[in-house]
PDB file of all heavy atoms in Angstrom:
ATOM      1  N   PHE A 114    -182.863-112.019  -7.869  1.00 96.00           N
ATOM      2  CA  PHE A 114    -184.246-112.239  -8.304  1.00 96.00           C
ATOM      3  C   PHE A 114    -184.838-110.944  -8.834  1.00 96.00           C
ATOM      4  O   PHE A 114    -184.679-109.885  -8.230  1.00 96.00           O
ATOM      5  CB  PHE A 114    -185.106-112.757  -7.141  1.00 96.00           C
ATOM      6  CG  PHE A 114    -186.571-112.834  -7.473  1.00 96.00           C
ATOM      7  CD1 PHE A 114    -187.065-113.887  -8.223  1.00 96.00           C
ATOM      8  CD2 PHE A 114    -187.450-111.838  -7.051  1.00 96.00           C
ATOM      9  CE1 PHE A 114    -188.420-113.956  -8.546  1.00 96.00           C
ATOM     10  CE2 PHE A 114    -188.795-111.903  -7.362  1.00 96.00           C
ATOM     11  CZ  PHE A 114    -189.276-112.970  -8.115  1.00 96.00           C
ATOM     12  N   LYS A 115    -185.529-111.058  -9.955  1.00 95.00           N
ATOM     13  CA  LYS A 115    -186.253-109.935 -10.529  1.00 95.00           C
ATOM     14  C   LYS A 115    -187.704-110.352 -10.724  1.00 95.00           C
ATOM     15  O   LYS A 115    -187.995-111.333 -11.407  1.00 95.00           O
ATOM     16  CB  LYS A 115    -185.631-109.524 -11.865  1.00 95.00           C
ATOM     17  CG  LYS A 115    -186.335-108.330 -12.514  1.00 95.00           C
ATOM     18  CD  LYS A 115    -185.669-107.961 -13.832  1.00 95.00           C
ATOM     19  CE  LYS A 115    -186.373-106.777 -14.477  1.00 95.00           C
ATOM     20  NZ  LYS A 115    -185.739-106.411 -15.784  1.00 95.00           N
ATOM     21  N   GLY A 116    -188.623-109.619 -10.105  1.00 96.00           N
ATOM     22  CA  GLY A 116    -190.041-109.933 -10.222  1.00 96.00           C
ATOM     23  C   GLY A 116    -190.644-109.371 -11.498  1.00 96.00           C
ATOM     24  O   GLY A 116    -189.948-108.827 -12.361  1.00 96.00           O
ATOM     25  N   GLY A 117    -191.948-109.511 -11.610  1.00 96.00           N
ATOM     26  CA  GLY A 117    -192.663-108.970 -12.758  1.00 96.00           C
ATOM     27  C   GLY A 117    -193.411-110.000 -13.577  1.00 96.00           C
ATOM     28  O   GLY A 117    -194.074-109.653 -14.562  1.00 96.00           O
ATOM     29  N   ARG A 118    -193.368-111.282 -13.179  1.00 97.00           N
ATOM     30  CA  ARG A 118    -194.132-112.304 -13.893  1.00 97.00           C
ATOM     31  C   ARG A 118    -195.613-112.151 -13.563  1.00 97.00           C
ATOM     32  O   ARG A 118    -195.976-111.764 -12.460  1.00 97.00           O
ATOM     33  CB  ARG A 118    -193.656-113.710 -13.489  1.00 97.00           C
ATOM     34  CG  ARG A 118    -192.223-114.015 -13.871  1.00 97.00           C
ATOM     35  CD  ARG A 118    -191.701-115.260 -13.161  1.00 97.00           C
ATOM     36  NE  ARG A 118    -190.276-115.476 -13.412  1.00 97.00           N
ATOM     37  CZ  ARG A 118    -189.309-114.819 -12.784  1.00 97.00           C
ATOM     38  NH1 ARG A 118    -189.610-113.932 -11.836  1.00 97.00           N
ATOM     39  NH2 ARG A 118    -188.053-115.047 -13.077  1.00 97.00           N
ATOM     40  N   TYR A 119    -196.452-112.456 -14.515  1.00 97.00           N
ATOM     41  CA  TYR A 119    -197.893-112.345 -14.293  1.00 97.00           C
ATOM     42  C   TYR A 119    -198.516-113.719 -14.062  1.00 97.00           C
ATOM     43  O   TYR A 119    -197.938-114.749 -14.428  1.00 97.00           O
ATOM     44  CB  TYR A 119    -198.587-111.635 -15.465  1.00 97.00           C
ATOM     45  CG  TYR A 119    -198.566-112.400 -16.780  1.00 97.00           C
ATOM     46  CD1 TYR A 119    -199.499-113.414 -17.040  1.00 97.00           C
ATOM     47  CD2 TYR A 119    -197.634-112.102 -17.768  1.00 97.00           C
ATOM     48  CE1 TYR A 119    -199.498-114.109 -18.239  1.00 97.00           C
ATOM     49  CE2 TYR A 119    -197.620-112.803 -18.969  1.00 97.00           C
ATOM     50  CZ  TYR A 119    -198.552-113.800 -19.194  1.00 97.00           C
ATOM     51  OH  TYR A 119    -198.545-114.498 -20.384  1.00 97.00           O
ATOM     52  N   ASP A 120    -199.681-113.731 -13.437  1.00 97.00           N
ATOM     53  CA  ASP A 120    -200.495-114.942 -13.291  1.00 97.00           C
ATOM     54  C   ASP A 120    -201.616-114.889 -14.312  1.00 97.00           C
ATOM     55  O   ASP A 120    -202.370-113.910 -14.373  1.00 97.00           O
ATOM     56  CB  ASP A 120    -201.099-115.039 -11.881  1.00 97.00           C
ATOM     57  CG  ASP A 120    -200.098-115.463 -10.839  1.00 97.00           C
ATOM     58  OD1 ASP A 120    -199.037-116.005 -11.202  1.00 97.00           O
ATOM     59  OD2 ASP A 120    -200.374-115.249  -9.636  1.00 97.00           O
ATOM     60  N   THR A 121    -201.724-115.919 -15.105  1.00 96.00           N
ATOM     61  CA  THR A 121    -202.788-115.974 -16.101  1.00 96.00           C
ATOM     62  C   THR A 121    -203.972-116.766 -15.570  1.00 96.00           C
ATOM     63  O   THR A 121    -203.821-117.638 -14.704  1.00 96.00           O
ATOM     64  CB  THR A 121    -202.283-116.625 -17.398  1.00 96.00           C
ATOM     65  OG1 THR A 121    -203.319-116.568 -18.391  1.00 96.00           O
ATOM     66  CG2 THR A 121    -201.904-118.093 -17.174  1.00 96.00           C
ATOM     67  N   ASN A 122    -205.140-116.472 -16.088  1.00 94.00           N
ATOM     68  CA  ASN A 122    -206.326-117.292 -15.835  1.00 94.00           C
ATOM     69  C   ASN A 122    -206.747-118.038 -17.093  1.00 94.00           C
ATOM     70  O   ASN A 122    -207.799-118.679 -17.113  1.00 94.00           O
ATOM     71  CB  ASN A 122    -207.476-116.419 -15.325  1.00 94.00           C
ATOM     72  CG  ASN A 122    -207.225-115.911 -13.922  1.00 94.00           C
ATOM     73  OD1 ASN A 122    -206.802-116.670 -13.051  1.00 94.00           O
ATOM     74  ND2 ASN A 122    -207.471-114.626 -13.699  1.00 94.00           N
ATOM     75  N   ASN A 123    -205.914-117.949 -18.113  1.00 94.00           N
ATOM     76  CA  ASN A 123    -206.195-118.579 -19.398  1.00 94.00           C
ATOM     77  C   ASN A 123    -205.612-119.985 -19.407  1.00 94.00           C
ATOM     78  O   ASN A 123    -204.397-120.168 -19.465  1.00 94.00           O
ATOM     79  CB  ASN A 123    -205.603-117.741 -20.530  1.00 94.00           C
ATOM     80  CG  ASN A 123    -205.889-118.323 -21.905  1.00 94.00           C
ATOM     81  OD1 ASN A 123    -206.582-119.335 -22.038  1.00 94.00           O
ATOM     82  ND2 ASN A 123    -205.376-117.680 -22.937  1.00 94.00           N
ATOM     83  N   ARG A 124    -206.495-120.977 -19.338  1.00 93.00           N
ATOM     84  CA  ARG A 124    -206.021-122.366 -19.300  1.00 93.00           C
ATOM     85  C   ARG A 124    -205.274-122.764 -20.569  1.00 93.00           C
ATOM     86  O   ARG A 124    -204.521-123.738 -20.574  1.00 93.00           O
ATOM     87  CB  ARG A 124    -207.207-123.323 -19.104  1.00 93.00           C
ATOM     88  CG  ARG A 124    -207.929-123.243 -17.747  1.00 93.00           C
ATOM     89  CD  ARG A 124    -206.976-123.433 -16.589  1.00 93.00           C
ATOM     90  NE  ARG A 124    -207.562-124.058 -15.417  1.00 93.00           N
ATOM     91  CZ  ARG A 124    -208.099-123.412 -14.391  1.00 93.00           C
ATOM     92  NH1 ARG A 124    -208.129-122.088 -14.406  1.00 93.00           N
ATOM     93  NH2 ARG A 124    -208.584-124.054 -13.353  1.00 93.00           N
ATOM     94  N   GLU A 125    -205.455-122.023 -21.643  1.00 93.00           N
ATOM     95  CA  GLU A 125    -204.751-122.350 -22.881  1.00 93.00           C
ATOM     96  C   GLU A 125    -203.254-122.097 -22.771  1.00 93.00           C
ATOM     97  O   GLU A 125    -202.474-122.566 -23.605  1.00 93.00           O
ATOM     98  CB  GLU A 125    -205.335-121.545 -24.048  1.00 93.00           C
ATOM     99  CG  GLU A 125    -206.766-121.956 -24.412  1.00 93.00           C
ATOM    100  CD  GLU A 125    -207.289-121.204 -25.616  1.00 93.00           C
ATOM    101  OE1 GLU A 125    -206.529-120.374 -26.175  1.00 93.00           O
ATOM    102  OE2 GLU A 125    -208.442-121.435 -26.008  1.00 93.00           O
ATOM    103  N   GLU A 126    -202.831-121.353 -21.742  1.00 94.00           N
ATOM    104  CA  GLU A 126    -201.410-121.092 -21.547  1.00 94.00           C
ATOM    105  C   GLU A 126    -200.712-122.217 -20.779  1.00 94.00           C
ATOM    106  O   GLU A 126    -199.493-122.195 -20.613  1.00 94.00           O
ATOM    107  CB  GLU A 126    -201.203-119.762 -20.822  1.00 94.00           C
ATOM    108  CG  GLU A 126    -201.584-118.547 -21.647  1.00 94.00           C
ATOM    109  CD  GLU A 126    -201.129-117.249 -21.013  1.00 94.00           C
ATOM    110  OE1 GLU A 126    -200.043-117.238 -20.393  1.00 94.00           O
ATOM    111  OE2 GLU A 126    -201.859-116.253 -21.132  1.00 94.00           O
ATOM    112  N   ILE A 127    -201.476-123.189 -20.294  1.00 96.00           N
ATOM    113  CA  ILE A 127    -200.865-124.319 -19.591  1.00 96.00           C
ATOM    114  C   ILE A 127    -200.070-125.150 -20.599  1.00 96.00           C
ATOM    115  O   ILE A 127    -200.604-125.558 -21.627  1.00 96.00           O
ATOM    116  CB  ILE A 127    -201.940-125.190 -18.919  1.00 96.00           C
ATOM    117  CG1 ILE A 127    -202.722-124.372 -17.896  1.00 96.00           C
ATOM    118  CG2 ILE A 127    -201.318-126.412 -18.254  1.00 96.00           C
ATOM    119  CD1 ILE A 127    -203.920-125.093 -17.317  1.00 96.00           C
ATOM    120  N   PRO A 128    -198.789-125.391 -20.335  1.00 95.00           N
ATOM    121  CA  PRO A 128    -197.974-126.123 -21.315  1.00 95.00           C
ATOM    122  C   PRO A 128    -198.376-127.595 -21.391  1.00 95.00           C
ATOM    123  O   PRO A 128    -198.923-128.151 -20.426  1.00 95.00           O
ATOM    124  CB  PRO A 128    -196.552-125.975 -20.766  1.00 95.00           C
ATOM    125  CG  PRO A 128    -196.742-125.769 -19.303  1.00 95.00           C
ATOM    126  CD  PRO A 128    -198.014-124.986 -19.153  1.00 95.00           C
ATOM    127  N   PRO A 129    -198.106-128.222 -22.523  1.00 94.00           N
ATOM    128  CA  PRO A 129    -198.394-129.654 -22.647  1.00 94.00           C
ATOM    129  C   PRO A 129    -197.588-130.472 -21.643  1.00 94.00           C
ATOM    130  O   PRO A 129    -196.530-130.050 -21.183  1.00 94.00           O
ATOM    131  CB  PRO A 129    -197.959-129.978 -24.088  1.00 94.00           C
ATOM    132  CG  PRO A 129    -197.873-128.668 -24.789  1.00 94.00           C
ATOM    133  CD  PRO A 129    -197.517-127.658 -23.744  1.00 94.00           C
TER     134      PRO A 129
END
Side-chain angles (χ1 to χ4, degrees):
F114 173 79
K115 181 180 180 181
R118 296 166 186 79
Y119 67 82
D120 284 342
T121 185
N122 290 315
N123 181 3
R124 293 305 211 267
E125 292 183 1
E126 292 191 35
I127 299 172

